[in-house]
Amino acid sequence: MSKFDIKDILANYDKNNLTIATVCSHSSLQIFNGAKKEGFNTIGIAVGEKRKFYDAFPLAKPDEFIIVDNYKEIFSLTDELAEKNSIIIPHGSFVEYLGPKNFLNLELPTFGNRNVLMWESDRNKEREWLEGSNLTMPMEIKNPKDIDIPVIVKYHGAKGGKGFFIAKTYEEFKQRIDKNKSFTIQEFVLGTRYYLHYFYSPIRENAYKLSKGSLQLLSMDRRDETTIDEVQRLGSIQELEEIGIHPTFVVTGNIPIVIRESLLPKVFSMGERVVEKSLKLFGGIIGSFCLETVVTETLDFKVFEISARIVAGTNPYASGSPYSEYIQNNLSTGRRIAQEIKFAAKHDILHEILS
Ligand code: AMP
């Protein structure tokens, strides 16, 4: 959908009575809680009855629910949502359940720049963007026969690390690979993982300044992944592999974390370069995004993935993080998104942060 269409839809919106809407999953508690703190109406789009669950969290319960049988039904609700001046906040599950192509066609104002999808969902384009930003990514191994270091094999489109496996030799690779799926082979980077949560505003100048707008670091987390993170309770990985038990990377939760303070300038520099490149490539990665990194023992960052919207790793910080605390008390990513929308509505520049 073009900016022109968005402006058309926004022209009919009552800017003093906006609604923040999202799908009830992933980071929705935080998004609703943040929106309420900033005085917005809230709508939760739920597949199946979910009211009872949200009753347990009154401060994160949307004012209104729209219950659907499946996510595609959202397309028949666009008029109703537009009448309520709804702005959609996409999160990982939202885009996944709807499908990236369908998401692109959703005719409702959506927080962030939807053009990012084609750069994020295609691994080759993602590499072009990140390496073009002078970030170091894990080395890619094109031919499995060349495996002579530990590698991680990733299936395309697999979410949450599903099916990924580690191989140290071509033989191991052959034993484990599912030839019916397309895959990428990456060097397995040894080090500690940090998932860095940024917020880029093209319309505010009150943070780390970029050529246009400014950048914040709101928090960081580490993912809890089963069974790789706990497998050693049972024995060494080698022992277990011998009896056919292989570690997996399915995300089950998120752990709050901070990084050595001396690494923060590098963290900002990486975020800066990714945003500046995105401005040139597709008009900018707007709002929250996350760089998934490994810090090596030489204190270098290797970036293995980017997520271009709010990540579930921000959920430990509903009432702020050790970083957002230096910006404002009680500032979650969900609340920061609501603030950005509020500021843009006030200055009549919503089209600059929505697509
Ligand atoms: P991804 O779907 O790319 O986020 O990968 C899922 C998980 O696999 C990550 O959260 C990491 O724990 C791990 N991982 C991914 N890429 C690498 C890499 N190149 N080296 C080491 N671990 C990785």
Side-chain angles (χ1 to χ4, degrees):
M1 191 165 35
S2 69
K3 276 256 156 79
F4 180 70
D5 293 327
I6 285 297
K7 279 190 176 168
D8 277 354
I9 301 173
L10 287 172
N12 296 319
Y13 270 34
D14 175 358
K15 312 285 184 319
N16 296 314
N17 193 22
L18 293 172
T19 298
I20 282 187
T22 197
V23 160
C24 291
S25 181
H26 189 271
S27 45
S28 66
L29 291 168
Q30 191 201 146
I31 292 170
F32 295 135
N33 176 259
K36 282 164 170 276
K37 279 178 181 153
E38 295 299 322
F40 284 96
N41 310 316
T42 46
I43 292 181
I45 304 162
V47 173
E49 188 50 67
K50 288 209 171 143
R51 268 175 267 246
K52 190 171 174 185
F53 164 68
Y54 283 84
D55 282 344
F57 301 111
L59 300 183
K61 182 182 168 184
D63 302 310
E64 194 185 325
F65 283 93
I66 296 182
I67 311 286
V68 292
D69 289 329
N70 64 68
Y71 287 106
K72 308 263 163 20
E73 249 181 73
I74 296 172
F75 286 95
S76 58
L77 297 167
T78 48
D79 286 346
E80 182 185 342
L81 285 162
E83 267 162 33
K84 291 176 175 161
N85 310 304
S86 301
I87 291 172
I88 298 284
I89 312 298
H91 51 59
S93 302
F94 194 151
V95 177
E96 190 190 338
Y97 295 150
L98 216 56
K101 286 217 177 82
N102 290 326
F103 175 65
L104 281 173
N105 293 327
L106 186 64
E107 296 215 6
L108 283 169
T110 298
F111 182 64
N113 181 356
R114 279 187 255 190
N115 290 334
V116 72
L117 264 175
M118 64 177 283
W119 289 87
E120 180 201 24
S121 55
D122 174 328
R123 285 209 187 264
N124 294 325
K125 284 195 111 56
E126 182 187 39
R127 193 168 271 270
E128 185 186 331
W129 172 17
L130 297 182
E131 292 190 337
S133 312
N134 281 326
L135 299 186
T136 311
M137 292 190 75
M139 192 172 58
E140 206 179 341
I141 288 133
K142 295 265 190 251
N143 184 346
K145 290 192 176 135
D146 294 338
I147 297 174
D148 58 359
I149 50 168
V151 296
I152 176 163
V153 182
K154 303 179 176 188
Y155 292 112
H156 291 179
K159 287 289 167 217
K162 205 157 179 255
F164 290 11
F165 65 92
I166 299 170
K168 292 176 283 308
T169 60
Y170 177 52
E171 290 308 310
E172 274 182 19
F173 170 85
K174 271 200 304 194
Q175 276 166 20
R176 301 284 312 279
I177 192 70
D178 178 348
K179 291 203 186 95
N180 299 317
K181 295 181 184 160
S182 48
F183 58 84
T184 309
I185 307 173
Q186 267 184 12
E187 147 199 23
F188 187 92
V189 183
L190 262 189
T192 33
R193 290 169 297 127
Y194 294 86
Y195 298 71
L196 310 167
H197 315 147
Y198 300 89
F199 191 96
Y200 167 59
S201 169
I203 57 173
R204 303 299 312 263
E205 304 285 344
N206 57 354
Y208 184 96
K209 292 209 178 40
L210 303 188
S211 63
K212 178 186 180 201
S214 60
L215 182 69
Q216 291 172 323
L217 174 75
L218 292 182
S219 49
M220 55 186 76
D221 78 298
R222 178 168 304 159
R223 284 186 192 160
D224 221 357
E225 292 172 328
T226 187
T227 53
I228 184 82
D229 291 338
E230 299 277 349
V231 74
Q232 73 286 351
R233 288 184 169 200
L234 212 57
S236 75
I237 291 186
Q238 192 171 350
E239 266 170 4
L240 295 169
E241 288 199 327
E242 277 163 14
I243 55 166
I245 298 174
H246 303 287
T248 53
F249 293 83
V250 176
V251 181
T252 56
N254 301 86
I255 307 165
I257 205 161
V258 291
I259 203 164
R260 282 170 72 146
E261 193 165 315
S262 59
L263 290 173
L264 284 178
K266 272 193 191 174
V267 168
F268 274 95
S269 166
M270 290 194 302
E272 171 171 22
R273 283 176 279 145
V274 166
V275 174
E276 296 293 357
K277 188 74 188 175
S278 75
L279 285 166
K280 292 196 184 101
L281 291 176
F282 55 86
I285 179 171
I286 293 166
S288 18
F289 69 96
C290 172
L291 290 181
E292 304 181 7
T293 72
V294 177
V295 180
T296 65
E297 61 185 356
T298 51
L299 301 183
D300 294 310
F301 283 87
K302 292 210 179 173
V303 181
F304 56 87
E305 185 102 55
I306 183 164
S307 292
R309 57 197 62 74
I310 184 169
V311 289
T314 58
N315 286 340
Y317 305 111
S319 54
S321 81
Y323 299 105
S324 70
E325 197 57 19
Y326 305 137
I327 302 170
Q328 184 191 335
N329 298 147
N330 269 310
L331 184 63
S332 67
T333 292
R335 185 174 187 187
R336 180 67 190 82
I337 291 170
Q339 288 179 343
E340 190 78 346
I341 294 169
K342 199 165 155 180
F343 180 89
K346 188 172 159 206
H347 293 86
D348 209 15
I349 48 172
L350 275 170
H351 57 280
E352 292 195 25
I353 57 159
L354 306 178
S355 64

